[in-house]
Structures are given as C-alpha cells and as structure tokens.
Amino acid sequence: MVLVCVCVREREREIERERERDHVMMVQSLTKHTLSVCERERERWVCVCVCVCVEGRGMAAAVVVATHPSPLPAFLFLSLRVWLCVCGCVCVCVCVCEVVLLVMNGRRYECGQPAAGPQPRIRLGHGFFHRERDSEAQGRQCQEMRARCERPNGFRCCPYYTSTTPFAPDREYKGHKLDSLPSTEVELTKEDAFKYYKDAATIRRMETRAGESYRNKQIRGFCHLYSGQEAVCVGMTAGFRPEDSIITAYRCHGWAYMWGWSVKSILAELYGNSAGASKGKGGSMHIYGEKFFGGNGIVGAQVPVGAGVALAHQYLKDNGVNFAFYGDGASNQGQVFEAYNIAKLWKLPVVFVCENNKYGMGTSVQRSSASTLYYTRGDYIPGLLVDGQDLLAVREATRWATDYARENGPLVLEMETYRYSGHSMSDPDTTYRTRDDIKKMRTDFDPITMMKHRMIEAPKRRSRPLIRRFVIQSTLRLTRPSRRLPHPSPT
Amino acid sequence: MDLALTRDANACIFGEDVAFGGVFRCSVGLREKHGAHRVFNTPLSEQGIAGFAIGLASNGCTAVAEIQFADYIFPAFDQIVNEAAKYRFRSGGQFDCGKLTFRAPYGCVGHGGLYHSQSPEAQFAHCPGIKVVIPRGPVQAKGLLLAAIEHPDPVLFLEPKFMYRAAVEDVPADYYTLPLDKAEVVQEGSDITLIGYGSQLQILKAAAKRAHAELGVSCEVIDLRTINPFDEETIAASVIKTGRCVVAHEAPLTAGMGAELSSTIQELCFLHLEAPVKRVCGWDTPFPLVYEPYYVPDTNRCFEAIKETINY
C-alpha cells in the first residue's frame, strides 16, 4: 500500500517563551531584565491522504482539511484518517509532516488566547552611577577653574566640560515632598514596545530630515530639533489619558507627531505650506492640535497659560490634567513661579514638567541656575525627578503623575534628558560643549538604543530591519512632496 | 562697547549669552579684555535683567543690558516703563537710573517669523521718560550707542538686526558720539520728504533714487535717529520746504510712529502741506512667516506712496 500524504501548512505560531537576559549597559552591567514575549503561531494544514489498497481493488483518497485548534486530540485525528480509507483495507496513514510537527512542538497553545500568566515585567535601571547633584559646589569650582583659565573659551578648562560625560541621568526616581514614588517595575507588551520604538525612531528621522532641509534652505526661520529627547514625548504620551492636555514651548515637533499630526503635515508646516499643521502660518514653533496648546515662542510664557488650561479642566469637571512643559532655561522666568503659586493655591490639576536638557541655548545649567534641582523648584509643590532617557520610566512616572494631579493638585516633574543638536539650527553648538560630550551621550544614553535593548526578545528577522526600513522609507516618502505644496491661503 | 567699557570703569555689559560674544557677535572679545565681572551672562529672565539693570544704574554703575531680541522685551516692559522711565520723576531728582542703556535687536530679518521680527519702538515711544534710539548703519550705530551710554537718561537702543550682516561701512576707530536728539537729513531734496529710521533708510533711499529716475522727483530723506523724543524742528523745516511727506516703518500701521509723526506734521505745517502725509507701514497683523515680503514696506510700496503723494 502506498501512502501519499501531502501537507500544506500555513504557519502562524503561538509560542510563549521566557528568557532571562542580562541587560548589558555600556558602562556597567548591573540590571537584569525578565522579558516574556508571546508569539502567535497558527497551524493550518491541508492533508491529502491517498491510500492504495494492496489488493488493488481501488484507490481511496481522503482529503482532510484540518485546522488548528482542532476539537479532537491529535492521536484521534490520526486514527480518523485511518478509518476513512474506504476500500475496506486497513491502512495506516501516517503523515510525515504531522509527525514532525508533533515531535517538534512540545506544547501547543490555543490561538486567540492571550499569553498565559501576567504581562512581562521589566525592572527599570537603578543603582547606576549617581552623580552628585550639588550644583553649588560644581558651579563654584567651575567658576574658579574658568577664572584661572588662559584659553579664550574658558569653559574648556572646567572639569565639567571634559570628555567624561558630565550628565549621567540619575537612574532612579527622586522625590521632593513626596510620600510615594512610581513603581520601578513596569509592564511592556510587544505591541507597545514596537509602537514606542517606531514612534521614537520616526521622530528622530523626522528631526534629522528637518535639520538637513534647514541647511538646504528649504526651511527658513527657526527650527528647534528634538533629537535625543524622544523618550520624553513618546513615554509621556503613552502615559496620558484622552482627557489630558499639554502645552509646550518651541521644541514641539516631537509632541506634534505624538499628538497625531503626520510627518508630512509637520514638515509642511516647517516649509510654510498650506498643507501644514497650522496651515503654514505658524512655522516650526507654532503647531497645535486637539488639547495640544502649542507650540509657543516666548520662553516661559506657556506655563501660566497651562495653569489656566488646568483651571478650565477643573471648572468643566472633565477629569483632565494639563501638562505644562518648559525647559531648564525657562525655569528661571518669574512667570513660572507665579504659575506655581496660583496652581498650588487653587489646587489645579496641572503637572509642570521641566525638560532639563542641561543647556539653555548656550548656557549650561550650572551657569544659569542657582539651584539645578529643578524638581524642587516648586518648593511647596511636590516634585519628582525622572530619567528622561528611559522611555518606560517616563511612561510610568506620567501615569503616576496623572493620578497624583487628579487627587492632590499640582506636581513638578523634572525629566533629565539631553539634546544632540544645538538649541536651534542657528546655534553652532560648539562654543559651550564639546563634540565628545555629545558623542558620549549618544552612545551611552540614547533613548532609542535603550528601547532597542529592551526589545531584544523580538525575533531578529522582524525587529531591526523591518522597523528601520519602514521608518526610513516612510519618512523619505513623506518628506519629498512637501516642497511642491502651495503656500498658505490668505484667509 | 569696548570703548565705553574702557572709558568708564564702572560700566557693565550683561544679557543672555553675551559672554561668548552674543547671538549676533556684538560682544565678542569683551569678556576676555575687560573681565568676567564686567561682561557676564544672565539667566533667562528679561524682567530680571531689566530690574537688575535699573538697580545697577541707580546706584552708580553704568549698565548696558542686552535683551536678546526685541520681541522678548515684553516681560521687561513693566520694569522699563514703570521703573526706569519714572525713577527720576518720582524721587524728585534724588535718584535716577540715567546711566542705563538697553540694547535689543529688532526688526525683520527675512526669516524671523512672529517672535524674532517685531518692532516695539512705538510702544516705548508712548512712555515719557525713556529715549528710543535707532541707528541706520554702522557709523551711526557706534556714535549713537556711545552717546546713549554716556547720556544721563535711560535709553532703549534698538538695533536693526537686518543690518548686522548686511551693512558694511568704514567706521572710524576712535571714540566719537553723535547728538542724540537730532534727526539727520541724509539726502537733500525739494519735492517730497521721506522720513524713516533704521533699516528703512536703505529702502527709502532706493525708492528716492527710483523716483528721481522715473518721476523726476527730488526727495529729501530724513533719518529720525531718536524716535522719542523726535526732532520736530528738522522735520517741520523739511516739510515746510517740500510740502509733501511720506513716513515709512516696519511696525504695524495703527498707532505706529507714522501716526505720531503725521499728526505732529499737520499741527506744525498744516498750511504748507500739499497732500496728506502718507504712511507706508507694516499691516495690522502679527508678523507673518512666509508672507514677510508682502508685510514689510519695501521699495515698491514706498515708490507707490511717493507717486501717490506727488500726484495728489
């Protein structure tokens, strides 16, 4: 008897794997991450069995289409095929691939079910090297060094500008007048991980492209790039709820993207075309959206406006929290303190977020601020310091902060982050920091690389090449047509 | 500024990012030459800068405070208008902050957008007690700035940022000052008076040249130099001579300097005017991004105004 069995299999697997890997950080490997990834694998096959009776009385063929999950256990299924041989002979139909399949898979999972057990948990990095956040001592020492320095740009003599990275973000939360802190163990699903990575990488590509366009004089005016700070906007947007609103300063391209504007409309706005987010009338600094109040040019002016938006949330009782962003430079503006006072007095649902990227245009934080502990600047407003390069820490802190602000009123968050490009495209970026510093931050504390390390569990063929290809192609495709779009209309 | 610092041992220059030279390289080299205690950076707070400058000036030092862009001067507006301008008046002469100069780049630059192109001179002109001075080129800038620093009244010195890279002139290297309250007749003429200040002078001169070539009109071009208080005598003498006047500035039309000038001219020269005073100004909108060439009063618009006034 001849048995022919043809299996055509469609495979979409669902396998749960648990692995533990050491997360090797560039400087020290201290943290371990447990990451479980649920992969789906669906098995579907068409089996054609041809039984030929030895006695030659006839052929019987049975076409069995089976999909997984099958209501019957495998062995029964096998025997069913035996039974179906109509010539009356006993045939044993053994499907080669079926056997192989059975042998290969130790366990089978029901597709359509979520992965068994709790979602994967990631422990956020901590115990990293701490830097003394004593700005007074640093500032004094810096001034002394510079006074003695003979070089024309005194800053190079200051130890805090040498090639050892001066700004290693603190890898744990620090609270000011807070009883509890956000948790350091977070969940990460695969879909979320890919989404965050893709968003951050898209923003990075978009900003790079914007920088190139500016140099080619396709973009005029001002262009403040967000490269290096992506973790803040991607992480925080992941932590917002639909009723929350934000207001930020001029470094708003990343926020515009996270708020739903496409790369095309953002770049069109930079070019000044009518397809842009503000119909080409605002430019780089003035992009707005639903519950996204911009995009503001004057430093610090958006903070009291944010407090006002929070007052509206409170008045309308819509449970929304306003996040008012400002930078380390703007934190010395008087109106910021006025906003703090009013917010605390009236218990407004506002979170003041200082995106501390260590430089206020050309002035480092030590030279501009008497206190560089920006999360304590609120004084009577509790504050939280977050590692702004760690996307998951940012997300966790945001979720915690929205709950806090809803209950207890204002909060100050400080996101310790870093920008790779200059303040704006007109800033040569060489007079106040060295290229080595920037390179060091790029290698050690890049938010996208950090996210990638965390996603190591994704199958190799699907993670890196697919994402990069997708992001690069889509960004290129979207950046080209903008130049041909018309100018904004006079209305 | 180097000369001012050399001459006056009590002079200080400060503002955002002035230490490394400033965003327009105005203070390059000063810190190294005169010391970090005289040329220093301030944090990002214009109100603080203004208040600090006023205090410094009222206690015996000469303060030269830089506001990085004139668009950012509005947080400092209260300090300038309510404190600096009224200091001497309210203390009956016991105190004054005369040795005070605010410097700010102002005006359109081609790509400034809303917040790097504004012209706030009219808003400060409305405040008695503070002088507003605007140079039209490097030679004027040096003389007027030194005069402003020396002058015993608080002065707001607005520098047209368009001229930082565009203007090239041979400037005398020594110390010289130009009189602050006088306007200057840049070009003599007999048919029409053109009044402007700052970077507008270049445009007015070009329009005058075109008017002379195409219409045969001889234009008298006047540079106001000091916006407040402006030199009424020179302007009145000129308009009485010519009988027609065009005022041009980048700031918006309503309540700009054009309005003030035309009302003063009609008061002083009513019977000598052959045509209404024409104002060629920016439009009454926020300063646009892409539409800047249509917003500013360029040569074409000035020329049209001249033609209209001549043919009235």
Side-chain angles (χ1 to χ4, degrees), chain A residues 264-284:
Chain A
K264 178 174 167 180
S265 54
I266 297 172
L267 287 173
E269 182 62 35
L270 265 60
Y271 287 134
N273 290 311
S274 60
S278 304
K279 304 192 174 37
K281 302 219 176 162
S284 153

Side-chain angles (χ1 to χ4, degrees), chain A residues 143 146-147, chain B residues 12-14 19 30-41:
Chain A
Q143 276 173 14
R146 291 176 57 175
Chain B
C12 295
I13 296 180
F14 49 92
L30 293 181
R31 186 183 175 91
E32 286 71 35
K33 186 166 170 194
H34 297 283
H37 62 290
R38 293 178 75 190
V39 180
F40 49 91
N41 281 342

Side-chain angles (χ1 to χ4, degrees), chain A residues 129-148 155 157-161 164-168 170 356 358-359 364-374 416:
Chain A
F129 82 87
H130 290 272
R131 183 152 186 97
E132 247 342 281
R133 286 173 64 81
D134 179 10
S135 71
E136 278 183 39
Q138 276 178 6
R140 226 179 300 123
Q141 193 176 356
C142 207
Q143 276 173 14
E144 283 165 15
M145 298 287 293
R146 291 176 57 175
R148 289 201 297 266
F155 80 91
C157 288
C158 176
Y160 297 103
Y161 290 93
T164 54
T165 311
F167 307 118
D170 280 311
N356 177 9
K358 308 301 180 174
Y359 293 96
S364 72
V365 291
Q366 286 96 344
R367 291 187 297 136
S368 80
S369 307
S371 161
T372 56
L373 306 173
Y374 294 103
E416 228 185 319

